[in-house]
Amino acid sequence: MVDSVATLDFQSDIYRDAYSRINGIVIEGEQEAADNYIQIAELLADRREELLSLSKMESRHKKGFEACGRNLRVTPDLPFAKEFFKGLHDNFQKAFAVGDVVTCLLIQALIIEAFAISAYNIYIPVADPFARKITEGVVKDEYLHLNFGQQWLKAHFVEVKDRLKQANRENLPLVWRMLNGVEQDAAQLGMEKAAMVEDFLISYGDALADIGFTMREVMQLTAMGLAA
Amino acid sequence: MFGLIGHLTNLEHAQSIADELGYPEYAEQGLDFWCMAPPQIVDEIKVRSITGQVIEGRYVESCFLPEMLSQNRFKAATRKVVNAMAHAQKYDIDITALGGFTSIIFENFNLDQIRDIRNVSLDFSRFTTGNTHTAYVITRQIELVAPKLGIDLERASILVCGATGDIGSGVCRWLAHRFPQVDLILVARNQQRLQEFQQELGTGRVLPLATGLPLADVIVWVASMPKGMEINPVELKHPCLIIDGGYPKNLGTQIQHPGVRVLNGGIVEHSLDIDWKIMKLLNYDVPKRQLFACFAEAMLLEFEGWHTNFSWGRNQISLEKMAQIGAASVKHGFRPLLT
Ligand SMILES: NC(=O)C1=CN([C@@H]2O[C@H](COP(=O)(O)OP(=O)(O)OC[C@H]3O[C@@H](n4cnc5c(N)ncnc54)[C@H](OP(=O)(O)O)[C@@H]3O)[C@@H](O)[C@H]2O)C=CC1
Ligand SMILES: [Fe+2]
Ligand SMILES: [Fe+2]
């Protein structure tokens, strides 16, 4: 594949068709995040207030992205989006059911946040002006959320290290599958898959390094399943 | 803390190194994978000056490969450069050299227009191309080796391929100043830039490469080419000194001819061992001591506490700055590679 310079027509059917799925994913992703932080608050009672406020931020993000869809007269494809998040959703719920906060944090505060950050970073330069403004505001918040997970896991690194490795092995391959699943639609919006993967690897890798993994471990953890 | 942003010479090289370093995830992958790979700090470095001063640095592998340019993957190429710069800044490096092609990509794609990389706002004063020191080292290589081959620089013909480039223009300025009688042959593709540069220089003549090569006593190769080219040593003057400063090398094959001496251009040797792994992987003869002059520039700026973009922008290399970085180079124990 060679770089292509796309000229985007935000009003075209082909753009809006792709947007209906991407917009759905974003809305569903923010909803998942809002729900997940409420559940994490149950597991981390002493951080309850903070987590509930993160959850509120996610609900605000969701409203922002709903407005982006309306602005382009697009109906978000929410059933598609639910299916899209199913793997991560189920794994989160399984972990929650057994009180496994480490896996819950890895899925929501590291993987979903880094995934959102990469998608938003790559989207911003090619977004319509309305959506660009909203997305720029959102991505700043997502860094705070990533940072929450990072700080907590860092403080408990010794106890959680093995658990994190295991959770990474179970969940990171789902991310690559998700990215493959939206590659075509994202391309219609001017977003390149390689750029998203790279951005994801940077945010996720930085978080893992900060938590306490060595450079070598970070390389191994982040490449997990990528080539498959 | 100083930093070096580097890249490998081609895909095959990258795969073999990933394998050697024990990253099978990277070793088996093709170019698509490298286009997605994030920058990595792969080495921590300690350097001691002959003054006794010790500094520490980090090597950032950008995951850029020259194939990205030859296969028109320009977006990937530019991402590698800005992401590596953001990485260096995030990991608190005060002064970082943009090695090999990374500074060229920065210039060619006007990356100074991009300041904000994700949550990092790039501070360009923390980066240097290292080209001033590279130009200085190449001129010293010429001055020290040519006489040994019986070439009289006062009346020699010196061909500079890549004369309008950053390093090439610095080398030409120095030579024109030091040897007013020298016959400078200026070579590059863009004729207009060549004409303008010749006027600025006030000397030299513009010739096509094929016309210039047989006339030259010294050939300086500092063109930015993703792949090396072939030349026939029989058609050159004998003796002839060739300084190949390209990275990847501008010459595609090794030249074996008694009348032709080829030197790795822009390489310095440090007087003391450097504690690092990375140069071994770049296939250097004496990996503990030999390194690119542009990398050494970042070290010199760190030794001297000159945390500034000493070399920046194209065609800004002045004789004063070459002399200044040259003096620091000698002071801290770096020598141009002479064999
Ligand atoms: N040893 C070291 O420490 C260092 C080595 N380098 C290497 O030095 C080389 C030059 O770097 P730099 O000066 O920054 O590059 P620039 O991009 O500033 O200049 C490149 C020059 O090469 C010319 N050129 C490019 N392609 C060709 C070609 N096919 N035939 C003839 N001329 C050509 C360009 O002119 P035109 O486009 O008109 O042809 C220009 O004059 C690169 O290979 C780089 O990797 C760089 C830094 C440090
Ligand atoms: Fe959000
Ligand atoms: Fe979030």
Side-chain angles (χ1 to χ4, degrees), chain A residues 1-4 121 143 192-195 197-199 201-203 206 209 215-216 219-220 223 226-227, chain B residues 21-23 25-26 29 33 35-41 72-75 79-80 83 87 90-91 118-119:
Chain A
M1 196 187 58
V2 165
D3 290 346
S4 61
N121 276 335
Y143 276 109
E192 216 189 317
K193 182 187 150 195
V197 173
E198 182 169 337
D199 211 281
L201 289 171
I202 290 170
S203 300
D206 280 350
M215 299 291 172
R216 174 169 286 267
M219 274 176 88
Q220 282 158 349
L226 181 54
Chain B
L21 286 176
Y23 296 113
E25 304 86 347
Y26 281 67
Q29 303 308 321
F33 182 88
C35 285
M36 309 188 288
Q40 317 270 358
I41 292 177
N72 301 336
R73 312 276 294 254
F74 300 128
K75 281 188 195 158
R79 276 204 313 274
K80 299 299 142 188
N83 284 338
H87 202 68
K90 238 172 357 194
Y91 284 86
R118 288 178 303 283
N119 54 342

Side-chain angles (χ1 to χ4, degrees), chain B residues 101-327:
Chain B
F101 259 89
T102 60
S103 66
I104 296 169
I105 292 165
F106 188 91
E107 282 296 326
N108 287 358
F109 294 94
N110 300 321
L111 300 187
D112 56 344
Q113 305 293 315
I114 311 176
R115 285 236 165 199
D116 295 316
I117 312 299
R118 288 178 303 283
N119 54 342
V120 178
S121 183
L122 285 182
D123 173 4
F124 295 141
S125 68
R126 290 172 175 233
F127 297 91
T128 185
T129 63
N131 285 348
T132 313
H133 190 230
T134 304
Y136 162 82
V137 169
I138 288 175
T139 56
R140 292 302 292 151
Q141 289 179 304
I142 300 171
E143 290 172 347
L144 293 168
V145 178
K148 285 197 202 145
L149 302 182
I151 298 169
D152 176 5
L153 289 173
E154 301 293 344
R155 59 197 74 229
S157 289
I158 304 186
L159 181 148
V160 179
C161 183
T164 49
D166 197 36
I167 299 171
S169 59
V171 168
C172 288
R173 265 180 219 118
W174 180 282
L175 292 173
H177 175 76
R178 291 283 289 250
F179 308 104
Q181 301 306 319
V182 78
D183 169 33
L184 270 181
I185 300 172
L186 313 175
V187 176
R189 291 164 307 178
N190 185 313
Q191 293 304 304
Q192 194 191 335
R193 273 205 295 267
L194 276 169
Q195 298 298 343
E196 285 165 9
F197 179 62
Q198 184 209 27
Q199 294 210 332
E200 182 205 316
L201 200 61
T203 179
R205 50 183 175 146
V206 175
L207 288 181
L209 181 64
T211 318
L213 283 179
L215 306 175
D217 302 289
V218 178
I219 300 169
V220 181
W221 227 292
V222 279
S224 48
M225 301 191 297
K227 255 188 106 187
M229 62 177 291
E230 312 284 329
I231 59 172
N232 183 355
V234 180
E235 290 164 12
L236 302 176
K237 261 189 171 176
H238 305 126
C240 179
L241 170 62
I242 300 183
I243 313 259
D244 186 351
Y247 180 81
K249 292 263 149 276
N250 285 171
L251 296 182
T253 41
Q254 277 202 343
I255 291 184
Q256 303 278 3
H257 190 285
V260 180
R261 171 74 92 59
V262 183
L263 266 191
N264 276 338
I267 303 292
V268 286
E269 234 171 39
H270 191 42
S271 314
L272 303 167
D273 281 359
I274 299 176
D275 179 15
W276 63 0
K277 304 187 280 293
I278 196 70
M279 284 308 280
K280 185 154 131 244
L281 301 171
L282 299 179
N283 300 328
Y284 273 82
D285 304 338
V286 191
K288 279 191 173 324
R289 299 227 165 162
Q290 290 179 5
L291 63 151
F292 300 109
C294 61
F295 286 174
E297 180 169 308
M299 297 174 185
L300 293 171
L301 299 179
E302 175 73 8
F303 276 130
E304 292 295 322
W306 299 335
H307 288 160
T308 147
N309 48 352
F310 191 84
S311 310
W312 205 242
R314 249 198 201 118
N315 291 7
Q316 311 283 329
I317 297 179
S318 66
L319 300 178
E320 295 72 31
K321 281 192 138 180
M322 282 172 76
Q324 184 187 351
I325 202 75

